[in-house]
Amino acid sequence: MKVPVSFPGQDEDTIQHKALHYFNLFRLIAAVLFLVLGARIGLGFEAPRLFWFVALFYVATVLVLGFPDAEKRIGFDRLITVQGFVDVLVMTIIMWTSGGYSSGIPVLMMIVLAGSSLLAKGRIVLFMAALATIGTLTENVWRTFANPDAADFFRVALTCISFFIIAIMARLLAQRALANASLAEARGAALIRQQAINAHIIRDMQVGVIVLRADGTVRQANPSACMLLGQDYVEDRLLADIAPALAEYCRTGGDETGQIIQLGQTQHLLRCRVTSHIGGSENESDMLIFLTDLKDLQRRMQQLKLVSLGRLTASMAHEIRNPLSAITQAAELLREEKRADMQMRLANIINDNSRRIDRMIRDVLALGRRDRTQPEALPLAEFVNELFEAFDLGEKKEKAIFQADIAPKLTLGIDRAHLHQIFDNLLSNAHRYCSGKPGSIRITARNTGEGLVQVHVHDDGPGLDEQVRAHLFEPFFTTHAKGTGLGLYIARELAEANGFTLELLNNDPERPGAHFILTGRSRP
């Protein structure tokens, strides 16, 4: 993708040299007008020969000092000073030969002084204003001695004051302009660097980026986009000729959320996102297209799944080995043992470990069926009561540890079998660690609005420390000797398969114990 990295900024020296060039052009025009038209416009009538000589001298001086070699020999600052001195001297003599202040030459002196002040530096600006003031006052004093009635010191004084004001204001404006030019240059350099970085990032992006004109031709495209489209070069070509399916999708306006498109040339399965109306009206703006190759994404996801499956298989092999060893050893001892009580004990060991293996396999099978959900609007209060009845705990005193506070009409949009297994794991853990008092395990539910329901499962046990909480939902992590470590992991996976979330709240000093929250839709 070609990104322009030029910036039309100019440094301070370039700006001053251009300004000096135009100012010298103004001087030359003024000098030629003095020489050619001076007598016709009423200048130099008091001393025509002196006027003509001064005008000719001014033309020659402007030409000599206007060449680039003059700046190299004298230097820029000295050249400005010499030119300013010559301007004031010539204007003063022309004013003296043309009737003094009333000739209008002081106004021209103001213009020349303003131009010199824009280029000069430091106190030289005040020096040229003072030089113009001395010349104007000297001419007016000489004319007063020659003709007292021609004196006009008030207007001359105002003019001299204007010389200083114009010189100072012009210099301030010049400094402001140079400061802005320096700032523009610095920002231009930063913009060039940023454009270079952006160009490098876009060029090396794995995501394809296409800028599409309003007429359907490709303005720019990075190498990844060319590769995904199966083309070496796509710029200034019609997208409809390269990828008709993509062009048709963009013609309908596209979608920032993206759509899956398969290109016929490369058979790439792409996710296309479109951002419309960039840099103009709807009919004239460009369209920005992002292309993501889903094959690589799917390949990486498959690799992650295989890695996770490998870890799960290795963990299962380790977990199954222990109860199998116990079963094998107990069976060998049972063959040799003659006493009935010892035979019963060994048989119990075999049964317990067999049930442990069966429970582990059942949990893994449930994990494999997590994607096959059949959600329905379950009446939550009725479901929880049936769950309590199915929880065969024997004595009524023991059943009293469960307490539910659920509105009769509240429903939960979830797969019945999945919810049964989620509650089975949560209630089993709560029953294992609660105090056993009436109401020590509480299930409450409430509607939070926007169709969401929160189900709270809270026991009055000792709670969980931070070290255990960090690994609670990891597979095969358990703090119980006979646990498989898959219960809470399976519960969260089944919850997420139904679009629900299962969380463990932080410890509450006022209400100790484990507090789980299941959040999801009230209806499928």
Side-chain angles (χ1 to χ4, degrees):
M1 177 176 286
K2 298 178 181 178
V3 180
V5 294
S6 61
F7 184 77
Q10 297 173 325
D11 57 14
E12 180 179 344
D13 293 338
T14 305
I15 294 174
Q16 286 189 326
H17 283 83
K18 278 196 171 185
L20 179 60
H21 172 73
Y22 290 119
F23 192 37
N24 285 332
L25 184 61
F26 169 78
R27 284 193 178 102
L28 182 60
I29 294 173
V32 171
L33 289 177
F34 286 154
L35 184 63
V36 177
L37 301 175
R40 296 181 182 181
I41 60 178
L43 297 177
F45 61 88
E46 293 187 357
R49 290 185 178 181
L50 179 60
F51 173 78
W52 184 85
F53 175 77
V54 171
L56 184 62
F57 168 78
Y58 194 36
V59 172
T61 305
V62 170
L63 290 175
V64 172
L65 296 179
F67 285 108
D69 293 341
E71 181 184 344
K72 294 179 180 178
R73 292 194 302 268
I74 302 175
F76 185 83
D77 294 336
R78 290 181 181 178
L79 179 63
I80 297 299
T81 304
V82 172
Q83 287 181 332
F85 178 79
V86 171
D87 291 337
V88 173
L89 179 63
V90 169
M91 297 295 175
T92 302
I93 296 175
I94 291 176
M95 181 174 58
W96 178 73
T97 61
S98 303
Y101 176 84
S102 60
S103 63
I105 296 298
V107 177
L108 187 59
M109 292 179 66
M110 291 181 186
I111 297 175
V112 173
L113 185 62
S116 299
S117 300
L118 288 172
L119 298 173
K121 296 180 180 179
R123 290 176 291 181
I124 193 66
V125 174
L126 298 178
F127 169 75
M128 286 189 288
L131 193 64
T133 300
I134 293 172
T136 303
L137 288 176
T138 301
E139 193 279 335
N140 193 67
V141 169
W142 179 87
R143 192 167 296 279
T144 300
F145 284 114
N147 185 9
D149 296 334
D152 191 356
F153 281 102
F154 179 72
R155 289 200 296 174
V156 171
L158 290 180
T159 301
C160 294
I161 294 173
S162 300
F163 288 157
F164 283 94
I165 294 176
I166 290 174
I168 294 173
M169 293 299 295
R171 184 55 196 160
L172 292 177
L173 289 175
Q175 291 177 341
R176 181 70 176 271
L178 292 176
N180 290 338
S182 299
L183 180 60
E185 181 184 4
R187 291 187 176 178
L191 179 59
I192 290 174
R193 291 193 298 270
Q194 187 61 46
Q195 286 179 328
I197 294 172
N198 292 343
H200 183 76
I201 292 173
I202 293 174
R203 185 180 65 248
D204 294 342
M205 282 177 61
Q206 298 299 318
V207 176
V209 181
I210 299 175
V211 181
L212 191 67
R213 296 189 182 98
D215 60 359
T217 58
V218 178
R219 181 189 296 275
Q220 294 174 330
N222 66 344
S224 296
C226 295
M227 181 193 68
L228 294 175
L229 295 176
Q231 303 289 330
D232 296 331
Y233 186 80
V234 298
E235 295 183 6
D236 298 324
R237 296 174 58 187
L238 282 172
L239 184 61
D241 297 337
I242 303 170
L246 181 59
E248 178 63 22
Y249 173 66
C250 296
R251 189 186 62 80
T252 59
D255 188 358
E256 292 191 9
T257 59
Q259 179 172 325
I260 308 302
I261 297 177
Q262 187 171 12
L263 299 184
Q265 300 94 323
T266 60
Q267 295 300 316
H268 279 294
L269 193 64
L270 305 179
R271 179 174 180 265
C272 177
R273 293 190 300 111
V274 175
T275 303
S276 302
H277 315 316
I278 298 176
S281 63
E282 183 174 353
N283 296 327
E284 300 177 357
S285 62
D286 293 339
M287 185 176 291
L288 189 61
I289 307 171
F290 296 96
L291 302 176
T292 305
D293 191 353
L294 295 184
K295 284 188 176 180
D296 292 338
L297 182 60
Q298 290 174 338
R299 190 180 301 113
R300 288 195 294 268
M301 292 178 61
Q302 186 66 24
Q303 290 175 351
L304 291 176
K305 288 182 178 179
L306 290 176
V307 171
S308 301
L309 182 60
R311 292 176 179 174
L312 181 62
T313 304
S315 300
M316 283 189 60
H318 176 73
E319 293 295 327
I320 293 176
R321 182 184 301 156
N322 293 332
L324 281 178
S325 299
I327 292 173
T328 302
Q329 185 178 7
E332 292 177 355
L333 294 175
L334 184 61
R335 188 182 301 113
E336 299 173 358
E337 185 59 48
K338 304 300 183 181
R339 292 174 296 173
D341 56 344
M342 182 57 69
Q343 289 180 347
M344 182 62 66
R345 181 181 176 185
L346 293 174
N348 289 335
I349 294 175
I350 293 174
N351 291 332
D352 290 342
N353 284 277
S354 298
R355 283 194 295 267
R356 182 181 175 187
I357 294 175
D358 179 69
R359 187 165 59 251
M360 188 182 305
I361 294 175
R362 188 176 65 249
D363 290 340
V364 173
L365 290 176
L367 183 62
R369 294 191 297 267
R370 64 186 297 274
D371 296 330
R372 298 195 293 271
T373 61
Q374 296 179 351
E376 57 179 299
L378 293 176
L380 190 57
E382 180 181 346
F383 182 86
V384 170
N385 289 330
E386 292 176 358
L387 194 65
F388 288 166
E389 293 296 330
F391 227 91
D392 187 13
L393 299 175
E395 302 180 4
K396 293 183 180 181
K397 174 177 69 173
E398 206 169 333
K399 293 181 180 180
I401 65 175
F402 292 97
Q403 186 175 356
D405 183 10
I406 303 172
K409 296 183 179 181
L410 197 61
T411 60
L412 208 60
I414 191 172
D415 186 283
R416 177 182 293 270
H418 288 175
L419 183 61
H420 191 283
Q421 190 160 359
I422 292 172
F423 272 127
D424 184 62
N425 287 317
L426 294 178
L427 295 178
S428 296
N429 287 334
H431 180 263
R432 184 178 299 144
Y433 296 105
C434 71
S435 63
K437 299 178 181 178
S440 58
I441 301 176
R442 291 178 53 85
I443 298 181
T444 59
R446 61 186 181 90
N447 197 329
T448 62
E450 299 182 358
L452 294 179
V453 175
Q454 282 188 345
V455 183
H456 298 253
V457 179
H458 190 195
D459 63 69
D460 63 352
L464 302 169
D465 56 34
E466 293 300 326
Q467 186 175 1
V468 173
R469 295 171 65 90
H471 305 281
L472 190 63
F473 290 101
E474 293 181 2
F476 299 108
F477 175 81
T478 181
T479 58
H480 192 262
K482 296 184 178 181
T484 63
L486 289 173
L488 291 177
Y489 171 71
I490 297 294
R492 190 177 64 173
E493 290 294 317
L494 294 179
E496 292 179 354
N498 288 269
F500 281 56
T501 60
L502 180 62
E503 302 174 283
L504 174 65
L505 290 188
N506 294 329
N507 292 327
D508 188 355
E510 297 182 358
R511 296 185 62 187
H515 189 175
F516 291 89
I517 294 183
L518 180 66
T519 306
R521 302 179 302 275
S522 61
R523 295 188 177 276

